[in-house]
Amino acid sequence: MPQLILIQRYGNVENLTANFVFCLGAYRALYLLNWIDRYLTEDTYHANKTQWIIWISGLIQTALYCDFFYYYILSKWMGRSVLPN
């Protein structure tokens, strides 16, 4: 998350940092898919009453990455930085 704040604050980011943040966000998105799969396939996954906290926090964190994903993919597609000012 500190990397996202840094990117928003300064607007320009090194390629290595952008790739790192993209991988972190992709990991979080794939982790959400893992939770969905476990919810659908494991009988004991429903038994834990505090699972909603994990789901909500994971959804919020992934939502924060969505804005970065948009600009990251757009900049890779156009070949230049397209971060908003």
Coordinates of all heavy atoms in Angstrom, one line a residue:
M1 N 0.8 -1.2 0.0 CA 0.0 0.0 0.0 C 0.8 1.3 0.0 O 0.4 2.3 -0.6 CB -0.9 0.0 1.2 CG -1.9 -1.2 1.2 SD -2.8 -1.3 -0.4 CE -4.1 -0.2 -0.1
P2 N 2.0 1.3 0.6 CA 2.8 2.5 0.6 C 3.2 2.9 -0.9 O 3.3 4.0 -1.2 CB 4.1 2.2 1.4 CG 3.7 1.1 2.3 CD 2.6 0.3 1.5
Q3 N 3.4 1.9 -1.7 CA 3.7 2.1 -3.1 C 2.6 2.8 -3.8 O 2.8 3.7 -4.6 CB 4.1 0.8 -3.8 CG 5.4 0.2 -3.3 CD 5.1 -0.8 -2.2 OE1 4.0 -0.9 -1.7 NE2 6.2 -1.4 -1.7
L4 N 1.4 2.4 -3.5 CA 0.2 3.1 -4.2 C 0.1 4.6 -3.7 O -0.1 5.4 -4.6 CB -1.1 2.4 -3.8 CG -1.4 1.1 -4.5 CD1 -2.6 0.5 -4.0 CD2 -1.5 1.3 -6.0
I5 N 0.4 4.9 -2.5 CA 0.4 6.2 -2.0 C 1.5 7.0 -2.7 O 1.3 8.2 -3.1 CB 0.5 6.3 -0.5 CG1 -0.7 5.6 0.2 CG2 0.7 7.7 0.0 CD1 -0.6 5.4 1.6
L6 N 2.6 6.5 -2.8 CA 3.8 7.1 -3.5 C 3.4 7.4 -4.9 O 3.7 8.5 -5.4 CB 5.0 6.2 -3.4 CG 6.3 6.8 -4.0 CD1 6.8 7.9 -3.2 CD2 7.3 5.7 -4.1
I7 N 2.8 6.5 -5.6 CA 2.5 6.7 -7.0 C 1.5 7.8 -7.1 O 1.5 8.7 -8.0 CB 2.0 5.4 -7.6 CG1 3.1 4.4 -7.8 CG2 1.3 5.6 -9.0 CD1 2.7 3.0 -8.1
Q8 N 0.4 7.8 -6.3 CA -0.6 8.9 -6.3 C 0.0 10.2 -6.0 O -0.4 11.2 -6.6 CB -1.7 8.5 -5.4 CG -2.6 7.4 -5.8 CD -3.7 7.1 -4.8 OE1 -3.6 7.5 -3.7 NE2 -4.7 6.3 -5.3
R9 N 0.9 10.3 -5.1 CA 1.5 11.6 -4.6 C 2.4 12.2 -5.7 O 2.3 13.4 -6.0 CB 2.3 11.4 -3.3 CG 2.7 12.7 -2.7 CD 3.3 12.5 -1.3 NE 2.1 12.1 -0.5 CZ 2.3 11.5 0.7 NH1 3.5 11.1 1.1 NH2 1.2 11.1 1.4
Y10 N 3.3 11.4 -6.3 CA 4.3 11.9 -7.2 C 3.9 11.8 -8.7 O 4.5 12.4 -9.5 CB 5.6 11.3 -6.9 CG 6.2 11.7 -5.6 CD1 6.2 10.8 -4.6 CD2 6.6 13.0 -5.3 CE1 6.7 11.1 -3.3 CE2 7.0 13.4 -4.1 CZ 7.1 12.4 -3.1 OH 7.5 12.8 -1.8
G11 N 3.0 10.9 -9.0 CA 2.5 10.8 -10.4 C 3.4 10.0 -11.4 O 3.0 9.4 -12.3
N12 N 4.7 10.1 -11.1 CA 5.7 9.4 -12.0 C 6.3 8.3 -11.2 O 6.6 8.4 -10.0 CB 6.8 10.4 -12.5 CG 7.5 9.8 -13.6 OD1 7.2 8.7 -14.1 ND2 8.5 10.6 -14.1
V13 N 6.5 7.1 -11.8 CA 7.0 6.0 -11.1 C 8.0 5.2 -12.0 O 7.8 5.2 -13.2 CB 5.8 5.1 -10.7 CG1 5.0 4.5 -11.8 CG2 6.2 4.0 -9.8
E14 N 8.9 4.6 -11.3 CA 9.9 3.8 -12.1 C 9.2 2.5 -12.6 O 8.2 2.0 -12.0 CB 11.0 3.4 -11.2 CG 11.9 4.5 -10.8 CD 13.0 4.1 -9.9 OE1 13.2 2.8 -9.7 OE2 13.7 4.9 -9.3
N15 N 9.7 2.0 -13.7 CA 9.1 0.8 -14.3 C 9.1 -0.4 -13.3 O 8.1 -1.1 -13.2 CB 9.8 0.4 -15.6 CG 9.1 -0.5 -16.4 OD1 7.8 -0.6 -16.3 ND2 9.8 -1.2 -17.3
L16 N 10.2 -0.6 -12.6 CA 10.3 -1.7 -11.7 C 9.3 -1.6 -10.6 O 8.7 -2.6 -10.2 CB 11.7 -1.8 -11.1 CG 12.0 -3.0 -10.2 CD1 11.8 -4.3 -10.9 CD2 13.4 -2.9 -9.6
T17 N 9.1 -0.4 -10.0 CA 8.1 -0.2 -9.0 C 6.7 -0.5 -9.5 O 5.9 -1.1 -8.8 CB 8.2 1.2 -8.4 OG1 9.5 1.4 -8.0 CG2 7.3 1.4 -7.3
A18 N 6.4 0.0 -10.7 CA 5.1 -0.2 -11.3 C 4.8 -1.7 -11.5 O 3.7 -2.2 -11.2 CB 4.9 0.5 -12.6
N19 N 5.8 -2.4 -12.0 CA 5.6 -3.9 -12.2 C 5.4 -4.6 -10.8 O 4.6 -5.5 -10.7 CB 6.9 -4.5 -12.9 CG 6.9 -4.0 -14.3 OD1 6.0 -3.6 -14.9 ND2 8.1 -4.1 -14.9
F20 N 6.2 -4.2 -9.8 CA 6.0 -4.7 -8.5 C 4.6 -4.5 -7.9 O 4.0 -5.5 -7.4 CB 7.1 -4.2 -7.5 CG 6.9 -4.6 -6.1 CD1 7.3 -5.9 -5.7 CD2 6.5 -3.8 -5.1 CE1 7.2 -6.3 -4.4 CE2 6.4 -4.2 -3.8 CZ 6.7 -5.5 -3.5
V21 N 4.1 -3.3 -8.0 CA 2.8 -3.0 -7.5 C 1.7 -3.8 -8.3 O 0.7 -4.3 -7.7 CB 2.5 -1.5 -7.5 CG1 1.1 -1.2 -7.2 CG2 3.4 -0.8 -6.6
F22 N 1.9 -3.9 -9.6 CA 1.0 -4.7 -10.4 C 1.0 -6.2 -10.0 O -0.1 -6.8 -9.8 CB 1.4 -4.6 -11.9 CG 0.4 -5.4 -12.8 CD1 -0.8 -4.9 -13.1 CD2 0.8 -6.7 -13.2 CE1 -1.7 -5.6 -13.9 CE2 -0.1 -7.4 -14.0 CZ -1.3 -6.9 -14.4
C23 N 2.1 -6.7 -9.7 CA 2.2 -8.1 -9.2 C 1.5 -8.3 -7.8 O 0.9 -9.3 -7.6 CB 3.6 -8.6 -9.1 SG 4.3 -8.9 -10.8
L24 N 1.7 -7.3 -7.0 CA 1.0 -7.3 -5.7 C -0.5 -7.3 -5.8 O -1.3 -8.1 -5.2 CB 1.4 -6.1 -4.8 CG 2.8 -6.2 -4.1 CD1 3.0 -4.9 -3.4 CD2 2.9 -7.3 -3.2
G25 N -1.0 -6.5 -6.7 CA -2.4 -6.4 -7.0 C -3.0 -7.7 -7.6 O -4.1 -8.1 -7.3
A26 N -2.2 -8.2 -8.6 CA -2.6 -9.5 -9.2 C -2.7 -10.6 -8.2 O -3.6 -11.4 -8.2 CB -1.7 -9.8 -10.4
Y27 N -1.7 -10.6 -7.3 CA -1.7 -11.6 -6.2 C -3.0 -11.5 -5.4 O -3.6 -12.5 -5.1 CB -0.5 -11.5 -5.4 CG -0.6 -12.1 -4.0 CD1 -0.4 -13.5 -3.9 CD2 -0.8 -11.4 -2.9 CE1 -0.6 -14.1 -2.6 CE2 -0.9 -11.9 -1.6 CZ -0.8 -13.3 -1.5 OH -0.9 -13.9 -0.3
R28 N -3.4 -10.3 -5.0 CA -4.5 -10.1 -4.2 C -5.8 -10.5 -5.0 O -6.7 -11.1 -4.4 CB -4.6 -8.6 -3.8 CG -5.8 -8.2 -3.0 CD -6.1 -9.1 -1.8 NE -5.0 -9.0 -0.9 CZ -4.9 -9.8 0.2 NH1 -5.9 -10.7 0.4 NH2 -3.9 -9.7 1.0
A29 N -5.9 -10.2 -6.3 CA -7.0 -10.6 -7.1 C -7.1 -12.1 -7.2 O -8.2 -12.6 -7.1 CB -7.0 -9.9 -8.4
L30 N -6.0 -12.7 -7.4 CA -6.0 -14.2 -7.5 C -6.4 -14.8 -6.1 O -7.0 -15.9 -6.1 CB -4.7 -14.7 -8.0 CG -4.4 -14.4 -9.4 CD1 -3.0 -14.8 -9.8 CD2 -5.4 -15.1 -10.4
Y31 N -6.0 -14.2 -5.0 CA -6.3 -14.7 -3.7 C -7.8 -14.6 -3.5 O -8.4 -15.5 -2.9 CB -5.6 -13.8 -2.7 CG -5.2 -14.6 -1.4 CD1 -4.2 -15.5 -1.4 CD2 -6.0 -14.5 -0.3 CE1 -3.8 -16.2 -0.3 CE2 -5.7 -15.2 0.9 CZ -4.6 -16.1 0.8 OH -4.3 -16.8 1.9
L32 N -8.5 -13.6 -4.0 CA -9.9 -13.5 -3.9 C -10.6 -14.7 -4.7 O -11.6 -15.3 -4.2 CB -10.5 -12.2 -4.5 CG -10.3 -11.0 -3.6 CD1 -10.8 -9.7 -4.4 CD2 -10.9 -11.1 -2.3
L33 N -10.0 -15.0 -5.8 CA -10.5 -16.2 -6.6 C -10.3 -17.5 -5.7 O -11.2 -18.4 -5.8 CB -9.9 -16.3 -7.9 CG -10.2 -15.2 -8.9 CD1 -9.4 -15.4 -10.2 CD2 -11.7 -15.2 -9.2
N34 N -9.2 -17.6 -5.0 CA -9.0 -18.7 -4.1 C -10.1 -18.8 -3.1 O -10.6 -19.9 -2.7 CB -7.6 -18.6 -3.5 CG -7.3 -19.7 -2.5 OD1 -7.6 -20.9 -2.8 ND2 -6.8 -19.4 -1.4
W35 N -10.4 -17.6 -2.5 CA -11.5 -17.6 -1.4 C -12.8 -18.1 -2.0 O -13.5 -18.8 -1.3 CB -11.6 -16.2 -0.8 CG -10.5 -15.8 0.0 CD1 -9.5 -16.6 0.6 CD2 -10.2 -14.5 0.4 NE1 -8.7 -15.8 1.3 CE2 -9.0 -14.5 1.2 CE3 -10.7 -13.3 0.1 CZ2 -8.4 -13.4 1.7 CZ3 -10.2 -12.1 0.6 CH2 -9.0 -12.2 1.4
I36 N -13.1 -17.6 -3.2 CA -14.4 -18.1 -3.8 C -14.4 -19.6 -4.1 O -15.4 -20.3 -3.8 CB -14.6 -17.3 -5.1 CG1 -14.9 -15.8 -4.8 CG2 -15.8 -17.9 -5.9 CD1 -14.8 -14.9 -6.0
D37 N -13.3 -20.1 -4.6 CA -13.2 -21.5 -4.8 C -13.3 -22.3 -3.5 O -14.0 -23.3 -3.5 CB -11.8 -21.8 -5.5 CG -11.7 -23.3 -5.8 OD1 -12.6 -23.9 -6.5 OD2 -10.7 -23.9 -5.3
R38 N -12.6 -21.9 -2.5 CA -12.7 -22.6 -1.2 C -14.1 -22.5 -0.6 O -14.6 -23.4 0.0 CB -11.7 -21.9 -0.2 CG -10.3 -22.3 -0.6 CD -9.3 -21.7 0.4 NE -9.5 -22.3 1.8 CZ -9.0 -21.9 2.9 NH1 -8.2 -20.8 2.8 NH2 -9.2 -22.5 4.0
Y39 N -14.8 -21.4 -0.8 CA -16.2 -21.2 -0.3 C -17.1 -22.2 -1.0 O -18.0 -22.8 -0.4 CB -16.7 -19.8 -0.5 CG -18.1 -19.5 0.0 CD1 -18.3 -19.3 1.3 CD2 -19.1 -19.5 -0.9 CE1 -19.5 -19.1 1.8 CE2 -20.4 -19.3 -0.4 CZ -20.6 -19.1 0.9 OH -21.9 -18.8 1.4
L40 N -16.9 -22.4 -2.3 CA -17.7 -23.3 -3.1 C -17.4 -24.8 -2.9 O -18.3 -25.6 -3.1 CB -17.7 -22.9 -4.6 CG -18.2 -21.5 -4.9 CD1 -17.9 -21.3 -6.4 CD2 -19.7 -21.4 -4.6
T41 N -16.2 -25.1 -2.6 CA -15.7 -26.5 -2.5 C -15.5 -27.1 -1.2 O -15.6 -28.3 -1.0 CB -14.5 -26.7 -3.4 OG1 -13.4 -25.9 -2.9 CG2 -14.7 -26.4 -4.8
E42 N -15.2 -26.3 -0.2 CA -14.9 -26.8 1.2 C -16.1 -26.6 2.1 O -16.6 -25.5 2.3 CB -13.7 -26.1 1.8 CG -12.4 -26.4 1.0 CD -11.2 -25.7 1.7 OE1 -11.3 -25.2 2.8 OE2 -10.2 -25.6 1.0
D43 N -16.5 -27.7 2.7 CA -17.6 -27.7 3.7 C -17.3 -26.9 4.9 O -18.1 -26.2 5.5 CB -18.1 -29.1 4.0 CG -18.7 -29.8 2.8 OD1 -19.2 -29.1 1.9 OD2 -18.6 -31.0 2.7
T44 N -16.0 -27.1 5.4 CA -15.6 -26.5 6.7 C -15.3 -25.0 6.6 O -15.1 -24.3 7.6 CB -14.4 -27.2 7.3 OG1 -13.3 -27.1 6.4 CG2 -14.8 -28.6 7.6
Y45 N -15.2 -24.5 5.4 CA -14.8 -23.0 5.2 C -16.0 -22.1 5.7 O -15.7 -21.0 6.1 CB -14.6 -22.8 3.7 CG -13.9 -21.5 3.4 CD1 -12.6 -21.2 3.8 CD2 -14.6 -20.4 2.8 CE1 -11.9 -20.0 3.5 CE2 -14.0 -19.2 2.5 CZ -12.7 -19.0 2.9 OH -12.0 -17.8 2.6
H46 N -17.2 -22.6 5.6 CA -18.3 -21.8 6.1 C -18.4 -21.7 7.6 O -19.1 -20.8 8.1 CB -19.7 -22.4 5.6 CG -19.7 -22.6 4.1 ND1 -18.6 -22.7 3.3 CD2 -20.8 -22.8 3.3 CE1 -19.0 -22.9 2.0 NE2 -20.3 -23.0 2.0
A47 N -17.8 -22.6 8.3 CA -18.0 -22.7 9.8 C -17.4 -21.6 10.5 O -17.9 -21.2 11.6 CB -17.3 -24.0 10.2
N48 N -16.4 -20.9 10.0 CA -15.7 -19.8 10.7 C -16.6 -18.6 10.6 O -16.8 -18.1 9.5 CB -14.3 -19.6 10.1 CG -13.5 -18.6 10.9 OD1 -14.0 -18.0 11.8 ND2 -12.2 -18.5 10.6
K49 N -17.0 -18.0 11.7 CA -17.9 -16.9 11.7 C -17.3 -15.6 11.4 O -17.9 -14.6 11.2 CB -18.7 -16.8 13.1 CG -19.5 -18.0 13.4 CD -20.6 -18.2 12.4 CE -21.5 -19.3 12.8 NZ -22.3 -19.8 11.7
T50 N -15.9 -15.5 11.5 CA -15.2 -14.3 11.2 C -14.7 -14.2 9.8 O -13.9 -13.2 9.5 CB -14.0 -14.1 12.2 OG1 -13.2 -15.2 12.0 CG2 -14.5 -14.1 13.6
Q51 N -15.1 -15.0 8.9 CA -14.7 -15.0 7.5 C -15.1 -13.7 6.8 O -14.4 -13.2 5.9 CB -15.2 -16.2 6.7 CG -14.6 -17.5 7.0 CD -13.1 -17.5 6.6 OE1 -12.3 -17.6 7.5 NE2 -12.8 -17.3 5.4
W52 N -16.2 -13.1 7.2 CA -16.6 -11.9 6.6 C -15.6 -10.7 6.7 O -15.5 -9.9 5.8 CB -18.0 -11.4 7.1 CG -18.0 -11.0 8.5 CD1 -18.1 -11.8 9.6 CD2 -17.8 -9.7 9.0 NE1 -18.0 -11.1 10.8 CE2 -17.8 -9.7 10.4 CE3 -17.6 -8.4 8.4 CZ2 -17.7 -8.6 11.2 CZ3 -17.5 -7.3 9.2 CH2 -17.5 -7.4 10.6
I53 N -14.9 -10.7 7.8 CA -13.8 -9.7 8.0 C -12.7 -9.8 6.9 O -12.3 -8.9 6.3 CB -13.2 -9.7 9.4 CG1 -14.3 -9.4 10.4 CG2 -12.0 -8.8 9.5 CD1 -13.8 -9.7 11.9
I54 N -12.4 -11.1 6.7 CA -11.3 -11.3 5.7 C -11.8 -11.0 4.3 O -11.1 -10.4 3.5 CB -10.9 -12.8 5.7 CG1 -10.3 -13.1 7.1 CG2 -10.0 -13.2 4.6 CD1 -10.1 -14.6 7.4
W55 N -13.1 -11.3 4.0 CA -13.7 -11.0 2.7 C -13.7 -9.5 2.4 O -13.3 -9.0 1.4 CB -15.0 -11.7 2.6 CG -15.0 -13.1 2.2 CD1 -14.8 -14.1 3.1 CD2 -15.2 -13.7 0.9 NE1 -14.8 -15.3 2.4 CE2 -15.1 -15.1 1.1 CE3 -15.4 -13.1 -0.3 CZ2 -15.2 -15.9 0.0 CZ3 -15.6 -14.0 -1.4 CH2 -15.4 -15.4 -1.2
I56 N -14.2 -8.8 3.4 CA -14.4 -7.3 3.3 C -13.0 -6.6 3.1 O -12.9 -5.8 2.2 CB -15.2 -6.7 4.4 CG1 -16.6 -7.3 4.5 CG2 -15.2 -5.2 4.4 CD1 -17.5 -7.0 3.4
S57 N -12.1 -7.0 3.9 CA -10.8 -6.4 3.8 C -10.1 -6.7 2.5 O -9.4 -5.9 1.9 CB -9.9 -6.7 5.0 OG -9.7 -8.1 5.0
G58 N -10.2 -8.0 2.0 CA -9.7 -8.3 0.7 C -10.3 -7.6 -0.4 O -9.6 -7.2 -1.4
L59 N -11.6 -7.4 -0.4 CA -12.3 -6.7 -1.4 C -11.9 -5.2 -1.4 O -11.7 -4.6 -2.5 CB -13.8 -6.8 -1.2 CG -14.4 -8.2 -1.5 CD1 -15.9 -8.2 -1.1 CD2 -14.3 -8.5 -3.0
I60 N -11.8 -4.6 -0.3 CA -11.3 -3.2 -0.2 C -9.9 -3.0 -0.8 O -9.7 -2.1 -1.6 CB -11.4 -2.7 1.2 CG1 -12.9 -2.6 1.6 CG2 -10.7 -1.4 1.4 CD1 -13.1 -2.3 3.1
Q61 N -9.0 -3.9 -0.4 CA -7.7 -3.8 -0.9 C -7.6 -4.0 -2.4 O -6.9 -3.3 -3.1 CB -6.8 -4.8 -0.2 CG -5.3 -4.6 -0.4 CD -4.4 -5.6 0.4 OE1 -4.9 -6.6 0.9 NE2 -3.2 -5.3 0.5
T62 N -8.3 -5.0 -2.9 CA -8.4 -5.2 -4.3 C -9.0 -4.0 -5.1 O -8.5 -3.6 -6.1 CB -9.1 -6.5 -4.7 OG1 -8.5 -7.6 -4.0 CG2 -9.0 -6.8 -6.2
A63 N -10.0 -3.4 -4.5 CA -10.6 -2.2 -5.1 C -9.6 -1.1 -5.2 O -9.6 -0.3 -6.2 CB -11.9 -1.8 -4.3
L64 N -8.8 -0.9 -4.2 CA -7.8 0.1 -4.2 C -6.8 -0.1 -5.3 O -6.2 0.9 -5.9 CB -7.0 0.2 -2.9 CG -7.9 0.7 -1.7 CD1 -7.1 0.6 -0.4 CD2 -8.3 2.2 -1.9
Y65 N -6.5 -1.3 -5.7 CA -5.6 -1.6 -6.8 C -6.2 -1.4 -8.1 O -5.5 -1.3 -9.1 CB -5.1 -3.1 -6.7 CG -4.0 -3.3 -5.7 CD1 -4.2 -4.0 -4.5 CD2 -2.7 -2.8 -5.9 CE1 -3.2 -4.3 -3.6 CE2 -1.7 -3.0 -5.0 CZ -1.9 -3.7 -3.9 OH -0.9 -4.0 -3.0
C66 N -7.5 -1.4 -8.2 CA -8.2 -1.3 -9.6 C -7.8 -0.1 -10.3 O -7.6 -0.1 -11.5 CB -9.7 -1.5 -9.4 SG -10.2 -3.1 -9.0
D67 N -7.8 1.1 -9.6 CA -7.4 2.3 -10.3 C -6.0 2.2 -10.8 O -5.7 2.6 -12.0 CB -7.5 3.5 -9.3 CG -7.1 4.8 -9.9 OD1 -7.8 5.2 -10.9 OD2 -6.2 5.5 -9.4
F68 N -5.1 1.6 -10.0 CA -3.7 1.5 -10.5 C -3.7 0.5 -11.7 O -3.0 0.8 -12.7 CB -2.8 0.9 -9.4 CG -1.4 0.5 -9.9 CD1 -0.5 1.5 -10.1 CD2 -1.1 -0.8 -10.1 CE1 0.8 1.2 -10.6 CE2 0.2 -1.1 -10.6 CZ 1.1 -0.1 -10.8
F69 N -4.5 -0.6 -11.7 CA -4.5 -1.5 -12.8 C -4.9 -0.8 -14.1 O -4.3 -1.1 -15.1 CB -5.5 -2.7 -12.5 CG -5.1 -3.7 -11.6 CD1 -6.0 -4.4 -10.9 CD2 -3.7 -3.9 -11.3 CE1 -5.6 -5.4 -10.0 CE2 -3.3 -4.9 -10.4 CZ -4.3 -5.6 -9.7
Y70 N -5.9 0.0 -14.0 CA -6.4 0.7 -15.2 C -5.2 1.5 -15.8 O -5.0 1.4 -17.0 CB -7.6 1.6 -14.8 CG -8.0 2.5 -15.9 CD1 -8.7 2.0 -17.0 CD2 -7.7 3.9 -15.9 CE1 -9.1 2.8 -18.0 CE2 -8.1 4.7 -17.0 CZ -8.8 4.2 -18.0 OH -9.2 5.0 -19.0
Y71 N -4.6 2.4 -15.0 CA -3.5 3.2 -15.6 C -2.3 2.4 -16.0 O -1.6 2.8 -16.9 CB -3.2 4.3 -14.6 CG -4.2 5.4 -14.5 CD1 -5.0 5.5 -13.4 CD2 -4.5 6.2 -15.6 CE1 -6.0 6.4 -13.3 CE2 -5.5 7.1 -15.6 CZ -6.3 7.2 -14.4 OH -7.3 8.2 -14.4
Y72 N -2.0 1.3 -15.3 CA -0.8 0.5 -15.6 C -1.1 -0.2 -17.0 O -0.2 -0.1 -17.8 CB -0.6 -0.6 -14.5 CG 0.5 -1.5 -14.8 CD1 1.8 -1.2 -14.5 CD2 0.3 -2.8 -15.4 CE1 2.8 -2.0 -14.7 CE2 1.3 -3.6 -15.6 CZ 2.6 -3.3 -15.3 OH 3.6 -4.1 -15.6
I73 N -2.2 -0.8 -17.1 CA -2.5 -1.4 -18.4 C -2.6 -0.4 -19.6 O -2.1 -0.7 -20.7 CB -3.8 -2.3 -18.3 CG1 -3.6 -3.4 -17.3 CG2 -4.3 -2.8 -19.6 CD1 -4.8 -4.2 -16.9
L74 N -3.2 0.7 -19.3 CA -3.3 1.8 -20.3 C -1.9 2.3 -20.7 O -1.6 2.4 -21.9 CB -4.1 2.9 -19.8 CG -4.7 3.9 -20.8 CD1 -5.6 3.2 -21.8 CD2 -5.4 5.0 -20.1
S75 N -1.0 2.4 -19.7 CA 0.4 2.9 -20.1 C 1.2 1.8 -20.8 O 2.0 2.2 -21.7 CB 1.1 3.3 -18.8 OG 1.4 2.2 -18.0
K76 N 1.0 0.6 -20.5 CA 1.7 -0.5 -21.2 C 1.2 -0.6 -22.6 O 1.9 -0.8 -23.5 CB 1.5 -1.8 -20.5 CG 2.2 -1.9 -19.2 CD 3.7 -1.8 -19.4 CE 4.5 -1.9 -18.0 NZ 5.9 -1.8 -18.1
W77 N -0.1 -0.4 -22.8 CA -0.7 -0.5 -24.1 C -0.3 0.7 -25.0 O 0.0 0.5 -26.2 CB -2.2 -0.5 -24.0 CG -3.0 -0.8 -25.2 CD1 -2.5 -1.6 -26.3 CD2 -4.2 -0.3 -25.6 NE1 -3.5 -1.6 -27.3 CE2 -4.5 -0.8 -26.9 CE3 -5.1 0.5 -25.0 CZ2 -5.7 -0.5 -27.5 CZ3 -6.3 0.8 -25.6 CH2 -6.6 0.3 -26.9
M78 N -0.2 1.9 -24.4 CA 0.2 3.1 -25.2 C 1.7 3.3 -25.3 O 2.1 4.1 -26.1 CB -0.5 4.3 -24.6 CG -2.0 4.3 -24.7 SD -2.7 5.8 -24.0 CE -3.2 6.6 -25.5
G79 N 2.4 2.7 -24.4 CA 3.9 2.8 -24.4 C 4.4 4.0 -23.7 O 5.6 4.4 -23.9
R80 N 3.6 4.7 -23.0 CA 4.0 5.9 -22.3 C 3.2 6.1 -21.0 O 2.2 5.4 -20.8 CB 3.9 7.1 -23.1 CG 2.5 7.4 -23.6 CD 2.5 8.7 -24.5 NE 1.2 8.8 -25.1 CZ 0.1 9.4 -24.5 NH1 0.2 9.8 -23.3 NH2 -1.0 9.5 -25.2
S81 N 3.7 6.9 -20.1 CA 2.9 7.2 -18.9 C 1.7 7.9 -19.1 O 1.7 8.9 -19.8 CB 3.8 7.9 -17.9 OG 3.1 8.2 -16.7
V82 N 0.6 7.5 -18.6 CA -0.7 8.1 -18.7 C -1.3 8.4 -17.4 O -2.5 8.5 -17.2 CB -1.7 7.3 -19.6 CG1 -1.2 7.3 -21.0 CG2 -1.9 5.9 -19.0
L83 N -0.5 8.6 -16.3 CA -1.0 8.9 -15.0 C -1.7 10.2 -15.0 O -1.2 11.2 -15.6 CB 0.1 8.8 -14.0 CG 0.7 7.4 -13.7 CD1 1.9 7.6 -12.8 CD2 -0.4 6.6 -13.0
P84 N -2.8 10.4 -14.3 CA -3.5 11.7 -14.3 C -2.7 12.7 -13.4 O -2.0 12.3 -12.5 CB -4.9 11.3 -13.6 CG -4.6 10.1 -12.8 CD -3.5 9.4 -13.5
N85 N -2.9 13.9 -13.7 CA -2.2 15.0 -12.9 C -3.1 15.5 -11.8 O -4.2 15.6 -11.8 CB -1.8 16.2 -13.9 CG -0.7 15.7 -14.8 OD1 0.1 14.8 -14.5 ND2 -0.7 16.4 -16.0

